Amino acid sequence: MRSSVVSLVALAALLSGCAGGAAAIGHPKDASGANGPVHAAAVDERSFGGSTYKLLLSGESSAERAGLLIGVTRHQLVRAEQRFQSGNPSAGLVAVGGAFLLGRTGELRPEMLEKGERALDSAATEVARVGNDGRALALYSMLLPRLPDGAWRSDVQSHLTAIDKFRQDTRGSGAVTTASAAARAAISRALIDTRPEAMDGAKKTTVTWLRQALSTNIGEAPIRSNQERDEAFEAYRALRAGGYTVAALYLRQRDPRGALSLLDASGLEKLMPPELRDRLERAGDEGDPDAWADLYHFFESARGASDGLLDPELVDAAAFGAAEGLFRAEPGSLRGALPMATELTTHGMAEVAPLVLGPALSEHPEPDAISTALGFVMRAVSEEEDAAGLNAARATFDNAATLLEVASAPGLRGKVRPSPARLRFTMAATEIRHGELERARPLLLQSLKEEPSSDAYLLLVAIERQRGKLTDALGWADKAIEAARAGSDLLTEADAQITRFEIFREQHDATEAGRALEAALTRVLLAQKQGRTGASQARAERLLARVLEHYGDRLAIRRATARAFEAAGSDPRLLSATVMDAARRGLTLSDLSVARSAVEHAVSAGMSGDDLVYPALWLQLLERKLRVPSSGAVEDAYSGIGDQSGWPSRLRAWATGRLSDAELLAAAKDRAQRTEAIFYAAMARHAQGSTEDAKAGFQQVVKSEAIDLVEVSIARDLLAAYESPQKDLKLPPNIVVP
């Protein structure tokens, strides 16, 4: 409990120390209703960002705002359900929460929920699973009227009945704990459900809790039971955090003055700390951006410092509301725009963030501010790809066009980091991961025009190689080597030489292939001898092992692999890369010891199921090919993959015989997954010794545009072994491999 006191006191000091006194700026009026007919705005994936941006700038109640809110909320719920369906329930839940945070009390309309029934049901199921009865009640209550009679409606009604019973069973036995539990549940509901009755319930139960806490003397007597301890804590929480709770509830509604009115009218004004009252008054009465900024920074900081005094979801909603208030008070500054951009990204609407940032930076194109914005967008693109896939990442990048234009001004060249070229490279790499080579290529060319880089050249090499333009690919590889040498990047130079070796091998040019491989070996050995640790050393050892595969020195390969694991340590990213590389090598070289060791490393390190399925699958295929019993490592790995994990669970089902080749292919949702399905069907034929069938599958894989897949590299190596079997190259006599 003491840590809670310290945290809240520290956060209060944050408000006390903030500067204030800015000139008055108009603040939005309450938007509890709209006059005149309301027409839902037509919102799709392309227009979602612009529509949401326009909605954020609209403060007063109007038919236009209501129509925008209907269209944006409706589309966000559809997007949320897509995230649930993709096997990412946490991203789906975040998106549902974001949909309702855009509205305020009185703005919830039935039209908003059209086509959102599945998202509501999925979100309600998820929050009910973790015992959040207030939020589950809100979601199920919004869903129930939309369902016709039948099994689905009956199921939702049974959930509502179970929630009511759960609340009765867990409401506590003391007066303060009972009142507190009711207030928590009502507040949780009001954060999602913006109907007036939900907010009225939250206000009523919160006042009851605060009054009950003030009337108790539990803290003056010795604590003799767990019940009394709970009573004392809830009374203490009311005294210490009651004012902050009410402020957060009203900030979620963008109504800072309402918090003061509720406490003053209830005779509870002494619960509002003076420094918080000051900010609420200035934000509510004057639209003071300094006050809004202070309120945002307080509740944003409280996300990690509440320690039980403030409910995390309430703090989160208050931060969103304060960010929106700040944005409308000061939309033309980075201070006003960045918090809103951050909140949008946090709540599953990242593609709106660049639109929020663009106008502010157009007015004030300072290098540091633009660097901050481009770095923000780069992270958002990556996070959106993980959470919602390529389309969400692409929308985020596309909406950054204004930022890229501002950052590309001649006077800013060399002063912005990350540069516009780097952001284009990031998006190109994202497109490539999904096999969208035609979209990636112009981004890479534009990036290289602005800022040559070896990694961008190497991506172009991969694209041209896939297109069958091997001469062009070699030309880009030469440029990659030049850029790597200019930056003294030995490892990237070695990587480019390995690629040159593979291309010459495809051209059946043994002489040039041998020269390229020797060049790669000398570069990687030189880098290895520099004695670095961590990422560079782990990468050096992985590249060394890759080169040695073609020289056939298996003992040296195992030594390099062991050193790579040692250099990776417990770093999840390095360990994952090392596991994948070792497992791939075990499969292509039929090295059972290396393959098993890789999977054992992955399991013991707690590698995520999304990644773990691949080394486990490769090991299983190798054990089948060698006709040896399982060591148990595969089964251990598969046990860590959940049934709801999307594509990884489909791969596991195929590997364990519960899906056929055709069924796995039918389950694939994009080009990369379809390529994987073709690859694993071919690998099964390879393990059975059906050479021609395996070759046909591998040839399909190497022609796929999903060039970023490890499976494409494996297919190339296996095809090379099929089509031009040759003895291992001999190590140069003057080189000693450690």
Side-chain angles (χ1 to χ4, degrees), residues 555-642:
L555 291 178
I557 292 171
R558 292 183 182 181
R559 292 196 299 270
T561 302
R563 291 193 299 269
F565 275 115
E566 183 179 357
S570 59
D571 184 300
R573 183 179 59 85
L574 296 180
L575 184 62
S576 177
T578 305
V579 165
M580 298 295 281
D581 189 60
R584 174 201 59 77
R585 187 176 304 112
L587 178 61
T588 56
L589 298 181
S590 296
D591 192 325
L592 188 61
S593 175
V594 168
R596 283 177 172 173
S597 175
V599 175
E600 289 163 2
H601 269 97
V603 171
S604 63
M607 194 166 161
S608 73
D610 285 4
D611 294 328
L612 186 56
V613 67
Y614 294 101
L617 188 49
W618 300 341
L619 173 57
Q620 182 178 13
L621 288 165
L622 179 57
E623 288 175 338
R624 287 179 181 174
K625 177 189 174 186
L626 299 178
R627 290 168 173 72
V628 298
S630 170
S631 66
V634 170
E635 291 73 16
D636 288 343
Y638 286 162
S639 67
I641 303 169

Side-chain angles (χ1 to χ4, degrees), residues 389-567:
L390 176 61
N391 287 338
R394 187 183 288 161
T396 303
F397 174 81
D398 288 346
N399 286 342
T402 298
L403 290 174
L404 285 168
E405 183 179 353
V406 171
S408 299
L412 293 173
R413 188 176 296 276
K415 298 178 181 179
V416 176
R417 287 288 181 270
S419 65
R422 206 62 196 167
L423 180 54
R424 290 189 175 92
F425 168 83
T426 298
M427 190 62 225
T430 302
E431 297 282 4
I432 286 172
R433 279 193 290 275
H434 295 267
E436 298 290 343
L437 304 189
E438 292 305 313
R439 284 180 174 268
R441 193 171 185 275
L443 287 169
L444 288 171
L445 291 173
Q446 180 63 29
S447 174
L448 287 166
K449 181 179 178 181
E450 299 172 1
E451 184 180 283
S453 66
S454 53
D455 48 4
Y457 282 127
L458 284 174
L459 289 184
L460 274 175
V461 171
I463 291 174
E464 299 302 337
R465 186 178 178 187
Q466 188 275 339
R467 298 169 72 194
K469 298 181 179 295
L470 299 186
T471 300
D472 290 345
L474 286 170
W476 291 118
D478 290 341
K479 288 185 176 295
I481 290 170
E482 291 174 12
R485 286 176 178 170
S488 301
D489 188 346
L490 292 169
L491 293 178
T492 299
E493 185 181 347
D495 204 355
Q497 291 287 9
I498 293 172
T499 301
R500 291 179 76 246
F501 160 78
E502 292 175 351
I503 294 173
F504 284 127
R505 182 180 62 180
E506 290 174 31
Q507 293 180 325
H508 306 291
D509 189 337
T511 301
E512 289 300 323
R515 288 173 180 168
L517 191 63
E518 184 174 345
L521 180 60
T522 58
R523 296 293 91 189
V524 77
L525 286 175
L526 184 57
Q528 187 214 38
K529 290 176 181 177
Q530 292 178 346
R532 298 175 181 172
T533 58
S536 294
Q537 193 65 25
R539 184 185 174 200
E541 299 295 354
R542 292 198 306 271
L543 283 174
L544 176 59
R546 175 68 171 156
V547 172
L548 292 173
E549 288 179 37
H550 305 293
Y551 285 115
D553 191 337
R554 295 208 173 198
L555 291 178
I557 292 171
R558 292 183 182 181
R559 292 196 299 270
T561 302
R563 291 193 299 269
F565 275 115
E566 183 179 357

Side-chain angles (χ1 to χ4, degrees), residues 666-684:
K669 294 182 178 179
D670 57 28
R671 183 180 284 113
Q673 290 180 0
R674 288 192 292 274
T675 300
E676 288 186 18
I678 294 168
F679 171 82
Y680 288 112
M683 277 302 306

Side-chain angles (χ1 to χ4, degrees), residues 244-284:
Y244 295 99
T245 297
V246 173
L249 177 63
Y250 276 87
L251 284 174
R252 181 262 175 269
Q253 308 299 342
R254 288 64 150 180
D255 182 16
R257 170 52 80 174
L260 302 178
S261 299
L262 178 67
L263 290 183
D264 292 350
S266 305
L268 299 169
E269 62 274 7
K270 67 180 181 181
L271 293 178
M272 183 63 70
E275 65 277 0
L276 184 55
R277 175 178 288 273
D278 171 65
R279 277 21 174 232
L280 294 171
E281 287 176 344
R282 285 165 38 210

Side-chain angles (χ1 to χ4, degrees), residues 115-194:
K115 300 181 181 179
E117 292 85 0
R118 290 292 177 186
L120 293 176
D121 193 36
S122 298
T125 300
E126 191 67 17
V127 296
R129 184 180 61 82
V130 297
N132 189 334
D133 59 310
R135 183 157 290 203
L137 176 64
L139 293 164
Y140 280 130
S141 296
M142 287 189 283
L143 174 61
L144 185 66
R146 305 198 58 78
L147 301 179
D149 290 337
W152 191 1
R153 183 182 177 92
S154 298
D155 183 58
V156 170
Q157 184 61 66
S158 68
H159 282 301
L160 286 168
T161 302
I163 289 170
D164 184 62
K165 183 177 185 304
F166 174 79
R167 294 176 66 181
Q168 293 295 323
D169 293 343
T170 60
R171 62 181 180 177
S173 53
V176 183
T177 52
T178 299
S180 173
R184 285 181 189 267
I187 289 172
S188 181
R189 178 178 182 177
L191 299 182
I192 287 286
D193 187 345
T194 56

Side-chain angles (χ1 to χ4, degrees), residues 80 83-98 122-123 126-127 129 346-348 386-388 644:
R83 299 182 185 202
F84 281 115
Q85 290 179 346
S86 69
N88 196 339
S90 61
L93 188 59
V94 163
V96 168
S122 298
E126 191 67 17
V127 296
R129 184 180 61 82
T346 301
H347 292 88
D386 290 340
Q644 304 302 317

